[in-house]
Structures are given as C-alpha cells and as structure tokens.
C-alpha cells in the first residue's frame, strides 16, 4: 500500500515551502517508526504566509501551549509561520489545530474566533 501527499506554497512563482510525504509498503510499520510519526495516528499542519509572520510567533506559541499527549510546535522561517501537531488521538489533534486556527484568525485578522466553515458540514 502507498500513501503520497505533496503540496507547495509559492509567492510570485518563488517556492517558499514544500512538503512531501511518501509512505510505501507496510504503512503501520512506517507510521510506528520513532524517526517518523512515532505511533501517531493524526497529523496537522498550519501555515501563515505574510510579511509579519515573525510578529506572530510568540503569540502562536502561547496559544498552542502544551499537552502531554501531543507533539506540537511552531516555527517561523522568513515570511512563513509553520505549526505542526502529531498525536495518537485524532480528536485531540483536530481540537488543538482548531484552537490555533480560531484564535489566530481573531488575533491577526480582527475576525470572530471561529473554525473554518467547512468544519461544520
């Protein structure tokens, strides 16, 4: 069995982020590998691309907080803020991602703190 996921972010045809995941063969063994997903059943990635990305690094870290059951972190690379989560419980990963999404949306955009509307379907 194979699992392939690739995507990229470009600004004016300049590649600023690329993410590629290719799992081949025994997916359970690959996902269990300590150098990979370490047994996690869910993963999430949040990207914010803007000239003020660095400004939001510490506030994003505060929102993320910590949770013993999840591996998570946030970094800033130039104009790109990247947050990631890994966890055994998909509901916990989704909840913490949604928390950052809603609060970040409110903080940066001055909009109501809410989840993407597609999550309501």
């Amino acid at each position: 069995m194979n699992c392939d996921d690739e995507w990229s972010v470009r600004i004016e045809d300049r590649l600023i982020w690329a993410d590629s995941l290719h799992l081949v063969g025994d997916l359970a063994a690959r996902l269990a590998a300590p150098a990979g997903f370490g047994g996690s059943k869910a993963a999430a990635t949040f990207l914010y691309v803007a000239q003020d990305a660095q400004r939001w690094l510490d506030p994003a870290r505060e929102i993320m907080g910590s949770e013993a059951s999840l591996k998570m972190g946030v970094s800033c690379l130039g104009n790109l803020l990247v947050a990631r989560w890994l966890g055994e419980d998909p509901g916990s990963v989704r909840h913490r991602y949604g928390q950052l999404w809603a609060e970040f949306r409110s903080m940066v955009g001055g909009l109501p703190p809410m989840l993407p509307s597609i999550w309501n379907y």
Side-chain angles (χ1 to χ4, degrees), residues 25-103:
D26 184 350
L27 295 185
R30 303 280 187 267
L31 293 173
F37 284 80
S40 296
K41 295 179 179 131
T45 302
F46 173 94
L47 298 178
Y48 173 72
V49 182
Q51 291 181 347
D52 66 348
Q54 184 68 42
R55 172 182 178 203
W56 303 109
L57 179 60
D58 288 335
R61 286 180 173 156
E62 288 178 31
I63 294 168
M64 285 187 82
S66 64
E67 186 172 322
S69 66
L70 297 176
K71 297 172 188 167
M72 53 189 179
V74 62
S75 301
C76 195
L77 307 163
N79 293 339
L80 176 69
L81 184 132
V82 180
R84 291 197 185 241
W85 297 260
L86 281 176
E88 290 186 28
D89 176 32
S92 293
V93 171
R94 183 180 193 274
H95 172 76
R96 295 306 291 263
Y97 179 96
Q99 179 183 14
L100 179 65
W101 175 282
E103 292 186 36

Side-chain angles (χ1 to χ4, degrees), residues 6-20 47 49 77-80:
E6 289 187 41
W7 51 277
S8 61
V9 176
R10 295 179 180 275
I11 296 178
E12 298 176 1
D13 289 331
R14 192 176 126 250
L15 180 67
I16 64 162
W17 180 259
D19 212 346
S20 180
L47 298 178
V49 182
L77 307 163
N79 293 339
L80 176 69

